[in-house]
């Protein structure tokens, strides 16, 4: 146990948000959980600082209110004769229109509702033409790195500049043999570093070499406007739970031809237009050619409506103001971490690269799980530690190979040595200034004074010792 008094922990790390708020920036959007208090192991309670938006963002209050208002009218979607079924069908299909407008889709593009970004990209992987070659950077999240296992995949090394990313892709596409159908999969914003990728330039390179491109917008769409038309991507995938709509739905939007030509992602009701028995005892099936082809089963109408509600809320709030406020928060965090010599922020493209509110770092001499556990237990701050479902990227940034991180509480690396895992802080439209200020103060105190509590390993995680 550190000699640091418990009372100092919460008092010195907290800052009054009203007094510290920058008057030039808009207020955070109301989200659920903004008033939740959590206990501290050192005594007392504190308002929870949710700084793990990159994993799942809290629900916007607007989304929750819209869903609650609709819930009494919930009914089966499509083919129902009753009033509630017709109302729910209209809501479902109008949500498709809202999402298409939010993504600025082209005429003829389809919006398919899925469970998540992972589900969307696995769906697209099932529609690839024969002999299609897939090109993907090793820097991708596993959701966009792994679905292509049944195709011919070329994994591209991590670039160190946006221009290098474009040049690497151009060389790989030009050298492919045979010169057949190809798909490029790329993230819009890294879930590890938050850095924005040159999507428009990568799309131009792909199309110049006869390839198509799918954008993983899971981390981009909650922070920046995404225009399928302007970016000139063929498809975009995103998740509701990162877009302030955590009700189990996702989106795949884009060109219809590959989707229409492929067998349905799931076989069942809703995807089928006509089913008839054959004389030989088999079944003939005519599948839909609309988005319904890949939406078999009873749709998650509440999840779909919540995404549409979030799209409207973000659009009405104005992305210019949301982006400016997030830049303000990013600057606070980066400037605060820069004042702690033991902290190293991870980056591919350098300090000046544009980014969203996702920052990963390591602390000399600290086990990352231990550090994250202390932030939670002693300060009421929720962050994430580990490899963030982007193992190749994090290991590239850390210069480490897979290995056991060891027991929590024991330093995973001596000062100056390589760390095995990282800590990630992420925030967005619902984050108040006080949360990031408390986080920066907590990092400073933990590095200076050490943890005030003892910790142990339980099921591979670091937890406070009772």
């Amino acid at each position: 146990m550190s000699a640091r008094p418990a009372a100092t922990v919460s008092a010195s790390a907290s800052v009054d948000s009203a007094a510290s708020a920058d008057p030039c920036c808009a207020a955070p959007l109301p989200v659920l959980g903004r008033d939740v208090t959590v206990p501290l192991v050192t005594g007392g309670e504190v308002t929870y600082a949710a700084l793990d938006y990159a994993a799942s963002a809290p629900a916007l209050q607007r989304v929750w209110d819209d869903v609650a208002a609709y819930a009494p009218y919930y009914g089966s979607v499509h083919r129902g004769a009753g009033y509630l079924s017709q109302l729910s069908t209209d809501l479902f299909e109008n949500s498709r229109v809202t999402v298409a407008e939010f993504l600025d889709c082209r005429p003829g593009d389809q919006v398919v509702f899925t469970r998540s970004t992972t589900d969307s990209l696995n769906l697209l992987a099932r529609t690839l033409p024969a002999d299609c070659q897939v090109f993907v950077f090793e820097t991708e999240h596993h959701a966009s790195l792994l679905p292509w296992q049944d195709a011919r995949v070329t994994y591209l090394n991590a670039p160190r500049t946006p221009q290098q990313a474009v040049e690497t892709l151009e060389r790989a596409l030009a050298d492919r043999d045979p010169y057949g159908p190809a798909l490029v999969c790329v993230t819009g914003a890294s879930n590890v570093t938050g850095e924005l990728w040159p999507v428009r330039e990568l799309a131009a390179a792909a199309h110049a070499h006869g390839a198509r491109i799918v954008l993983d917008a899971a981390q981009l769409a909650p922070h920046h406007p995404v225009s399928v038309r302007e970016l000139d991507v063929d498809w975009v995938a995103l998740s509701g739970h990162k877009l302030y709509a955590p009700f189990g739905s996702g989106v795949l939007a884009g060109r219809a031809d590959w989707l229409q030509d492929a067998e349905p992602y799931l076989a069942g009701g809703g995807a089928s237009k006509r089913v008839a028995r054959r004389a030989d005892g088999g079944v003939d099936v005519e599948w839909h050619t609309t988005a319904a082809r890949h939406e078999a089963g009873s749709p998650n109408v509440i999840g779909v409506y919540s995404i549409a509600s979030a799209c409207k809320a973000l659009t009405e709030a104005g992305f210019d103001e949301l982006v400016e406020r997030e830049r303000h928060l990013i600057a606070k965090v980066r400037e605060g971490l820069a004042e702690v010599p033991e902290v190293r922020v991870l980056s591919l493209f350098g300090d000046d690269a544009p980014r969203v509110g996702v920052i990963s770092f390591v602390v000399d001499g600290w086990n990352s799980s231990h550090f994250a556990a202390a932030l939670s237990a002693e300060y009421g701050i929720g962050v994430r530690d580990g490899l963030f479902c982007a193992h190749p990227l994090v290991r590239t940034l850390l210069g480490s190979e897979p290995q056991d991180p060891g027991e929590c509480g024991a330093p995973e690396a001596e000062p100056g040595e390589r760390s095995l895992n990282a800590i990630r802080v992420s925030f967005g439209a619902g984050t108040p200034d006080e949360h990031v200020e408390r986080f920066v103060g907590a990092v400073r105190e933990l590095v200076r004074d050490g943890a005030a509590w003892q910790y142990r390993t339980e099921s591979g995680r670091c937890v406070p010792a009772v």
Side-chain angles (χ1 to χ4, degrees), residues 115-190:
R115 293 176 296 177
S116 60
T117 304
T118 301
D119 197 36
S120 296
L121 293 172
N122 275 271
L123 188 166
L124 186 61
R126 288 279 297 274
T127 72
L128 298 181
D131 298 323
C132 184
Q133 189 169 358
V134 178
F135 296 84
V136 57
F137 287 93
E138 67 173 357
T139 47
E140 293 292 311
H141 184 280
H142 293 172
S144 47
L145 186 73
L146 301 181
W148 323 106
Q149 300 299 306
D150 292 336
R152 293 186 299 122
V153 189
T154 298
Y155 295 104
L156 307 176
N157 292 333
R160 287 298 180 169
T161 66
Q163 182 59 32
Q164 189 180 85
V166 177
E167 293 170 352
T168 298
L169 178 62
E170 287 178 330
R171 285 194 299 269
L173 289 170
D175 292 343
R176 76 183 190 272
D177 184 31
Y179 196 84
L183 176 70
V184 177
C185 181
V186 67
T187 189
S190 170

Side-chain angles (χ1 to χ4, degrees), residues 41 453-456 458 463-466:
V41 293
W453 207 255
Q454 292 180 345
Y455 295 81
R456 59 185 174 84
E458 182 178 290
V463 297
V466 178

Side-chain angles (χ1 to χ4, degrees), residues 1 42 48 78 91 136 143 209 216 225 236 256 347 414 430 432 465:
M1 297 274 291
T42 51
Y48 184 65
H78 300 144
L91 193 76
V136 57
H209 291 276
D216 175 354
V236 60
S347 176
E414 295 298 325

Side-chain angles (χ1 to χ4, degrees), residues 236-300:
V236 60
L238 58 86
S239 292
H241 73 99
K242 298 186 193 297
L243 195 71
Y244 309 101
F247 292 91
S249 282
V251 171
L252 176 67
R255 301 198 182 278
D257 53 352
W258 285 12
L259 300 176
Q260 292 176 352
D261 293 342
E263 289 295 303
Y265 182 45
L266 296 172
S272 55
K273 186 175 183 180
R274 183 188 63 83
V275 180
R277 289 290 301 275
R278 297 195 305 263
D280 63 4
V283 175
D284 283 325
V285 183
E286 180 184 354
W287 303 106
H288 280 294
T289 57
T290 62
R293 185 183 188 89
H294 298 288
E295 293 176 345
S298 295
N300 179 3

